Amino acid sequence: MPFGDLHRAAKAVGGSINDAYLAGLCGALRLYHDAMGIPIQNLPMAVPVNLRSEDDPAGGNRFAGVNLAAPVGIADPETRIKAVRSQMTSRREERAIDVVGMIAPVLSLLPDSFLESMAGSVVNSDVQASNVPVFPGDTYIAGAKVLRHYGIGPLPGVAMMAVLISRGGYITITARYDRAAITDGPLFARCLLAGFDEVLALGGDGRATPASFTLDDSVANGGVPQ
């Protein structure tokens, strides 16, 4: 979808690009669950939050994950964006948001068995949603300009990983999922488009369009998108 379309939709209701992205994903999940006859109100969703500041070194990353009770059951896209924004603002302001980063030096000294037991006690999320910044300028591969950039994320203990990437005035959103969780792929693809169309309508007549390629299992094994 054009970057400007999602930006206008977000700003029309006082949200950010990330708020609109998460609200569109929630809409897709609502539509899919409704179509499968299993309506839900909330869904555990993990969202990485950038914690870098001007004082941090130029290299490396510094981020933490926050957990949302994603408002999947809210049908109105404006209300959904505001609900997402409220949760994200609250989570960002929590003093313990970077607790893992603060105790990382201590964790590195603990035995693997203890760390594994700690990880197992953490509440798991069903979905992880990432918003990945890329180099803002034009890039080329063997002289050919890169027009679109699609993120194929891993599944780090979640049923679905969604990735937003913006490049060249366009936003792409991909969803990789466990087929035991999403059993009707074509239906979910339609729900994904419809969920973002709900959000885009807040800013005008923007529409999401499907990518011009399909993916198969070979991609996960180092293959190339078809």
Side-chain angles (χ1 to χ4, degrees):
M1 68 193 81
F3 181 92
D5 288 353
L6 191 61
H7 184 262
R8 280 190 296 274
K11 292 304 179 184
V13 295
S16 67
I17 286 285
N18 197 59
D19 298 332
Y21 160 50
L22 297 177
L25 184 59
C26 286
L29 291 166
R30 183 193 86 254
L31 293 168
Y32 182 79
H33 279 84
D34 286 353
M36 298 296 286
I38 315 173
I40 59 173
Q41 291 301 310
N42 298 292
L43 184 146
M45 180 181 291
V47 182
V49 173
N50 182 22
L51 299 179
R52 286 183 60 83
S53 68
E54 294 180 355
D55 297 328
D56 289 320
N61 296 311
R62 181 167 171 256
F63 62 90
V66 300
N67 292 308
L68 305 181
V72 173
I74 298 178
D76 177 64
E78 177 177 351
T79 305
R80 198 160 64 237
I81 288 177
K82 292 179 177 178
V84 167
R85 185 167 185 79
S86 176
Q87 287 197 51
M88 287 297 297
T89 300
S90 175
R91 300 295 190 275
R92 282 177 179 273
E93 293 175 351
E94 289 179 354
R95 297 183 63 182
I97 186 172
D98 195 24
V99 64
V100 174
M102 291 186 287
I103 66 174
V106 176
L107 292 177
S108 66
L109 302 176
L110 298 176
D112 290 345
S113 58
F114 180 77
L115 294 176
E116 289 172 359
S117 65
M118 278 183 58
S121 66
V122 176
V123 176
N124 290 325
S125 295
D126 291 331
V127 175
Q128 182 167 320
S130 295
N131 184 340
V132 182
V134 298
F135 181 69
D138 292 339
T139 54
Y140 298 81
I141 296 179
K145 184 177 179 179
V146 177
L147 300 178
R148 302 285 186 276
H149 193 147
Y150 299 90
I152 304 175
L155 293 176
V158 295
M160 176 185 293
M161 165 70 85
V163 180
L164 177 150
I165 295 180
S166 57
R167 173 184 288 275
Y170 282 85
I171 284 174
T172 62
I173 295 170
T174 58
R176 184 177 182 185
Y177 50 80
D178 186 331
R179 292 185 181 179
I182 301 294
T183 57
D184 191 333
L187 171 62
F188 181 74
R190 295 192 296 272
C191 292
L192 194 63
L193 291 171
F196 280 93
D197 282 346
E198 289 179 350
V199 170
L200 291 171
L202 295 171
D205 57 358
R207 303 277 294 181
T209 57
S212 58
F213 64 82
T214 58
L215 300 177
D216 58 31
D217 291 335
S218 67
V219 174
N221 299 315
V224 177
Q226 303 298 310

